[in-house]
Amino acid sequence: MAATHMPPDRTPRAAASVRLEDVCKSFGPIVAIDRISLEVPAGRLVTLLGPSGCGKTTTLRVIAGLEAPTRGRVFIGGEDVTPLPAAQRRVTMVFQSYALFPHLTVFENVAFGLRLLRQPEAEVRRRVEEALALVGLEGTEGRFPARLSGGQQQRVSLARALVMEPAVILFDEPLSNLDAKLRKHVRAEIRELQRRLGITAVYVTHDQAEALSLSDIIVVMHMGRVEQVGTPEELYRRPSNRFVADFIGEANLLPATYHRGEVVVATYRLPYQQEGITDGDWTLLVRPEAVRLDAGDEGLPGTVRTAAYLGVHIEYRIETPVGMLFAIGPADRAQVHPVGSRVTATFDVGGIYLLAR
Ligand code: ATP
């Protein structure tokens, strides 16, 4: 999978779409998911993103057939699989814990599902070797999981999923046991492989950066429900509510009014158009990179409270009449604003968005 390594390309396996229709799942009095409907087109990677306990894993388990929904239907490749057991769904799952057998070699771990299906030995060998090549692990067949790095173990578990040639692969926080740098690397590999093989994937994470970087489509979940579905850019630029705005990326949420084509924040008036906006009270989302700081008179006045140098840029916290403003500015010396200095903030209209109060 690494860029230096060119595994064999192959025709896309029979990737299938996934559709949930009005799915609910309760555990006694606990409603884990509540009327979830969503569509995963064949060959795409869709992420379920949300805070702990919002129902992501339950949704994944319902797709896998490991939980029966209390209500609603699950379709894979257009077929209603709701009554089918997990083994008949052509779906495999990759877990955060890798779930590898410590006493089996890499080869036998990957071969495990094929052996259960009593596949002939030559077929097992061919498919295991092919799967290991896909994840860049040829030559490790005889090793035991404990002798591999975390990243390699996660690749073995990915190979074990690929070897079954599933119609859909489900990922349940597969990178949470890896350190930050490796996580970034392996997620890029997963994405590259998913694209190249045209696999349909549903990927669960609570990490918004992971979701933004990986997904064709993100489904933002909150308390068992879907808050918004969209491409990473749609969710970042046009979140449908405060929860999504705050959960995806960094967000300043400022009290504002809209009056005759202008957004008004304290004394700052900014010409702005947005579909469906009427005069009245709104919450203004301002992304930190849309904040410009200078010494002019026109804008939102403030005082720099913190300035954190991060190499590529500086992160500021500015105290303003409407609360603390988080801003990102250039680290170029000539443009740095020291702590305690008075500044005027203005906003790029490309990085702002009005939300219902
Ligand atoms: P996390 O990121 O922490 O894994 P999640 O978004 O995946 O969270 P779920 O694991 O789907 O959330 O859980 C959703 C809700 O359902 C939670 O309140 C959880 O406690 C509850 N729940 C999940 N599985 C069970 C179960 N087997 N029995 C009882 N309650 C459960």
Side-chain angles (χ1 to χ4, degrees):
M1 286 202 294
T4 49
H5 160 89
M6 288 308 285
D9 243 338
R10 33 174 308 161
T11 50
R13 53 206 72 212
S17 62
V18 176
R19 185 155 53 88
L20 300 191
E21 245 179 49
D22 229 15
V23 170
C24 301
K25 176 69 186 177
S26 300
F27 297 99
I30 298 168
V31 180
I33 52 176
D34 187 16
R35 281 177 288 153
I36 299 280
S37 293
L38 59 92
E39 175 102 40
V40 183
R44 294 303 166 91
L45 191 152
V46 171
T47 299
L48 308 180
L49 172 69
S52 182
C54 72
K56 307 179 294 290
T57 299
T58 303
T59 307
L60 212 61
R61 291 174 60 82
V62 166
I63 297 171
L66 300 171
E67 301 286 359
T70 315
R71 197 183 118 174
R73 316 218 65 81
V74 179
F75 296 83
I76 294 178
E79 180 197 358
D80 185 350
V81 298
T82 320
L84 294 185
Q88 288 174 31
R89 292 193 181 191
R90 297 190 302 134
V91 165
T92 57
M93 203 141 156
V94 176
F95 298 95
Q96 77 170 252
S97 56
Y98 320 137
L100 299 177
F101 299 110
H103 61 290
L104 295 182
T105 60
V106 166
F107 185 95
E108 288 305 327
N109 265 285
V110 176
F112 192 78
L114 297 175
R115 297 240 187 268
L116 286 182
L117 297 177
R118 302 194 183 287
Q119 296 291 302
E121 187 57 32
E123 172 77 357
V124 171
R125 188 149 294 278
R126 184 186 66 75
R127 282 170 65 176
V128 169
E129 272 162 15
E130 186 181 86
L132 285 172
L134 281 173
V135 300
L137 279 183
E138 333 64 335
T140 64
E141 288 83 350
R143 288 165 72 179
F144 287 91
R147 305 296 299 275
L148 300 175
S149 70
Q152 288 174 322
Q153 289 183 41
Q154 190 49 280
R155 290 187 203 182
V156 175
S157 81
L158 186 55
R160 190 176 51 183
L162 291 168
V163 85
M164 303 309 287
E165 303 192 343
V168 181
I169 298 191
L170 307 177
F171 292 93
D172 192 3
E173 307 239 9
L175 308 181
S176 7
N177 287 340
L178 304 179
D179 67 55
K181 230 178 179 152
L182 196 54
R183 203 152 58 215
K184 244 179 162 165
H185 183 68
V186 179
R187 90 182 175 210
E189 289 187 340
I190 288 179
R191 178 57 161 163
E192 193 274 325
L193 193 64
Q194 178 272 331
R195 274 216 174 108
R196 182 154 49 84
L197 300 182
I199 298 166
T200 307
V202 185
Y203 190 105
V204 161
T205 181
H206 61 267
D207 178 342
Q208 51 95 19
E210 197 166 301
L212 286 174
S213 73
L214 268 178
S215 318
D216 292 305
I217 295 166
I218 300 175
V219 177
V220 181
M221 295 179 64
H222 182 39
M223 302 207 302
R225 299 206 172 186
V226 172
E227 291 280 344
Q228 190 174 0
V229 178
T231 64
E233 195 182 349
E234 278 163 3
L235 295 183
Y236 190 76
R237 291 183 170 277
R238 297 187 295 280
S240 59
N241 56 46
R242 293 179 69 108
F243 177 81
V244 177
D246 210 22
F247 202 77
I248 306 258
E250 297 274 359
N252 293 291
L253 295 167
L254 309 177
T257 54
Y258 191 72
H259 185 66
R260 297 191 175 183
E262 285 185 324
V263 178
V264 185
V265 183
T267 52
Y268 177 31
R269 309 177 79 90
L270 175 67
Y272 179 71
Q273 301 296 327
Q274 182 178 319
E275 205 181 315
I277 295 298
T278 52
D279 285 5
D281 291 341
W282 296 88
T283 293
L284 181 66
L285 162 66
V286 183
R287 293 298 183 188
E289 65 279 10
V291 178
R292 300 266 166 265
L293 301 175
D294 58 38
D297 302 326
E298 288 291 304
L300 188 62
T303 305
V304 177
R305 289 299 172 211
T306 65
Y309 177 76
L310 295 176
V312 267
H313 59 243
I314 296 185
E315 291 185 356
Y316 294 100
R317 301 213 173 257
I318 315 287
E319 193 177 328
T320 78
V322 288
M324 211 52 101
L325 185 69
F326 178 54
I328 290 174
D332 177 355
R333 270 204 182 173
Q335 301 181 57
V336 169
H337 303 279
V339 172
S341 62
R342 306 273 308 158
V343 290
T344 303
T346 53
F347 307 146
D348 290 340
V349 288
I352 67 175
Y353 197 68
L354 289 172
L355 303 168
R357 269 263 173 109

